[in-house]
């Protein structure tokens, strides 16, 4: 599997066959199954989706949609392009290399303010799994608890921590912030007191090593944030609105299936779609832990991937107060909810 091409199979479901109707079926008798299969595949509209990171269970709903033919049902052949440490996902979408992508909301806000013409069209993780993880026997349960502690955090997250400290009447000098590592082993070794990462990823990793943790979600500290936020360029949305809605219909169905089938989804990622070296138990644990973050907020009541526009205004205001953006955009300018609304109406 490469970073550029997603190995997948084109699924011809009953709905797909019915959509193409008798003409497609007539070809089966004369040419056999494979030629007809190719004709159907050739009629699918190609769409590229830029992932923000490497392929794993955090994107399980998309690959469940591929496996079950949900995108093909909507007339689409979707390719998922891997992100990674040396890839700028937003730049790839801005340049038109991919039509749609996903990111945490922070980078999307920064890009939009820089003039990149993108809009939010859906949200997988209504509540970000971003959290400060600490040993269960020495828990960090509030911002105030950070005083005198050693916290591992990425450079992009440091301004948010500094903002929270200021809000709590503290300063950056009250906390020793050290460089980040994808592996939270330093927490197990006692070299740090807290680790800022994803409770569904590093948190699961720590628990799988038998290390009991306490997770303080960023939302509990006053930072509203979404992850797996789906976005697209404005010109693409204007010119291909139907395709965008069709994609979201397939994605909604895929995420519903993934949440309902954690074992099967974990197996798909480990054996077929994911990056090399994924662990089945960890992948299963992550999708199970993700459900409460996906099916909450605007997505409650069976409305997966939905957008809460007023919530995004709160996000904008918070990021502006933290000095991460100027705050000269509004949620109405940032979001295009009509596509997910149309998709949800069709899935219901």
């Amino acid at each position: 599997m490469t970073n550029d091409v997603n190995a997948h199979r084109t699924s011809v479901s009953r709905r797909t066959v019915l959509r193409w109707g008798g003409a497609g079926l007539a070809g089966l008798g004369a040419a056999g199954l494979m030629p007809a299969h190719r004709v159907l595949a050739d009629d699918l509209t190609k769409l590229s989706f830029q992932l923000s990171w490497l392929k794993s269970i955090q994107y399980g709903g998309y690959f469940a949609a591929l496996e079950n033919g949900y995108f093909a049902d909507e007339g689409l052949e979707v390719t998922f392009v891997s992100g990674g440490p040396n890839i700028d996902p937003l730049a790839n979408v801005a340049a038109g290399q991919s039509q749609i992508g996903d990111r945490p909301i922070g980078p999307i806000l920064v890009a939009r303010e820089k003039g990149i013409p993108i809009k939010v069209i859906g949200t997988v993780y209504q509540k970000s799994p971003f959290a400060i993880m600490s040993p269960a026997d020495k828990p960090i349960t509030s911002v105030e608890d950070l005083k005198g502690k050693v916290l591992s955090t990425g450079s992009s997250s440091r301004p948010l921590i500094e903002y929270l400290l200021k809000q709590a009447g503290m300063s950056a000098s009250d906390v020793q912030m050290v460089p980040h590592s994808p592996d939270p082993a330093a927490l197990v070794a006692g070299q740090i007191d807290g680790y800022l990462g994803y409770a569904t990823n590093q948190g699961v990793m720590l628990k799988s090593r038998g290390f009991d943790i306490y997770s303080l979600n960023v939302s509990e500290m006053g930072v509203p944030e979404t992850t797996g936020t789906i976005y697209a360029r404005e010109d693409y949305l204007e010119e291909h609105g139907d395709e965008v809605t069709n994609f979201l219909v397939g994605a909604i169905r895929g995420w519903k299936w993934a949440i309902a089938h954690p074992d099967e989804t974990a197996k798909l990622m480990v054996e077929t779609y994911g990056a090399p070296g994924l662990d089945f138990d960890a992948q299963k644990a992550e999708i199970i832990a993700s459900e409460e973050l996906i099916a909450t907020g605007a997505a409650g009541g069976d409305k997966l991937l939905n957008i809460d526009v007023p919530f995004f205004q709160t996000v904008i205001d918070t990021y502006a107060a933290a000095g991460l953006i100027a705050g000269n955009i509004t949620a109405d300018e940032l979001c295009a909810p009509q596509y997910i609304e149309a998709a949800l109406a069709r899935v219901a």
Side-chain angles (χ1 to χ4, degrees), residues 262-282:
D263 285 276
E264 293 92 333
T265 306
K267 185 176 181 181
L268 284 177
M269 297 314 301
V270 171
E271 296 184 358
T272 307
Y273 296 107
L278 296 179
D279 176 77
F280 173 83
D281 290 334

Side-chain angles (χ1 to χ4, degrees), residues 156-229:
S156 62
S157 303
R158 183 171 179 135
L160 274 179
I161 298 298
E162 293 178 349
Y163 164 73
L164 291 172
L165 292 171
K166 182 178 179 181
Q167 292 296 103
M170 301 161 63
S171 67
S173 61
D174 288 325
V175 182
Q176 183 182 348
M177 288 183 259
V178 298
H180 211 259
S181 168
D183 190 317
L187 191 64
V188 180
Q191 298 169 344
I192 58 176
D193 301 299
Y195 180 95
L196 188 61
Y198 280 3
T200 52
N201 190 323
Q202 286 87 9
V204 168
M205 191 184 301
L206 287 164
K207 292 175 182 177
S208 70
R209 297 172 183 174
F211 190 77
D212 196 14
I213 63 170
Y214 179 91
S215 292
L216 178 62
N217 192 279
V218 291
S219 65
E220 298 171 45
M221 294 185 285
V223 180
E225 188 168 284
T226 63
T227 301
T229 316

Side-chain angles (χ1 to χ4, degrees), residues 5 7 10 14 16-17 21 25 37 61-62 77 130 136 154 210 216 233 291 311 327 339:
V5 181
T10 301
R14 180 175 181 272
T16 304
V17 172
L25 293 174
H37 184 101
Y62 297 127
E77 180 182 342
F130 212 34
L216 178 62
R233 278 193 358 180
E291 180 177 0
F311 176 79
Y339 305 102

Side-chain angles (χ1 to χ4, degrees), residues 3-24:
N3 282 350
D4 298 317
V5 181
N6 177 58
H8 68 86
R9 67 187 190 191
T10 301
S11 173
V12 184
S13 68
R14 180 175 181 272
R15 182 186 297 182
T16 304
V17 172
L18 290 175
R19 171 172 290 159
W20 271 275

